[in-house]
Amino acid sequence: MRIVLLGAPGSGKGTQSKLIMERYKVPQISTGDLLRAAVSAGTPLGQQAKAAMDAGQLVTDDIVLGMIRERLAMPDTQQGYILDGFPRNLAQAGALDDLLKELGKPLDVALLIDVDFDNLMQRLTGRQTCGSCGAVFNRHTNPSRKENVCDVCGGELTHRADDNEETIGKRLKVYEEQTRPLVQYYSERSLLQTVKGEGEIESIYKAVSEVLESCRK
Ligand code: AMP
């Protein structure tokens, strides 16, 4: 299954990706995670990306496309993958189409997780991620059992540097202006499916898996 997950920051793409990954045994490819890893490793690519990320802006297409090309050449993507946070604009979507055409392996579905704008700010300010296993929690909507400790592996939960109100506002604006047009892009190519991303994580996942099962048939 080759899946693009679409949705605003805070819509639950990361959380749903992890559940899809377990069920379908395909890797989650998050350009945000790849970029954060490059930033903390201090690589030249990370140094170039950091300023844009801190400002809530998009990193240049060249950097992101280079990362994606490299990642999609790895053998674990043979059976498919979940693209989480990529593409982020029309140029990236077009470049992805070209790349997949070259590989002869087109996308199966672009799945939009749709969350009302007003909910996103609360979700983002409360978000916490496990530094060890990547599990995602939320102080307001999905708290860990013990404060700042991961339920899954006992690792330490941290708050992302760009999950502060000022940067969040900018990221949501970037989403509206640059990423939302992808909804129409994939709709015109008959690849778009939508699930409502509000309520319990499990019930959202149920809707997600129903869509994915229908795409497999
Ligand atoms: P995310 O974890 O997906 O919210 O991404 C965090 C930040 O990484 C974004 O605010 C951007 O600065 C950068 N980023 C992630 N994915 C992309 C992408 N596909 N294109 C450009 N910038 C990206």
Side-chain angles (χ1 to χ4, degrees), residues 9-10 13 30-33 35-36 49-50 52-61 64 67-68 84-89 92 124 127 160 162-163 167 171 174:
K13 297 189 297 297
S30 155
T31 42
D33 285 350
L35 287 164
R36 277 184 291 279
K50 187 173 185 315
M53 293 173 77
D54 287 346
Q57 301 297 330
L58 294 186
V59 170
T60 61
D61 292 344
V64 175
M67 269 176 13
I68 283 287
D84 164 6
F86 176 89
R88 269 309 219 272
N89 60 27
Q92 292 181 10
L124 287 163
R127 181 155 72 174
R160 270 174 50 174
D162 60 353
D163 279 345
T167 311
R171 285 159 60 210
V174 167

Side-chain angles (χ1 to χ4, degrees), residues 16 20 111 113 195 204-213:
Q16 294 299 323
I20 299 170
L111 178 56
I113 306 183
V195 297
I204 299 167
Y205 179 62
K206 188 164 175 281
V208 165
S209 47
E210 278 166 13
V211 166
L212 296 182
E213 284 305 311

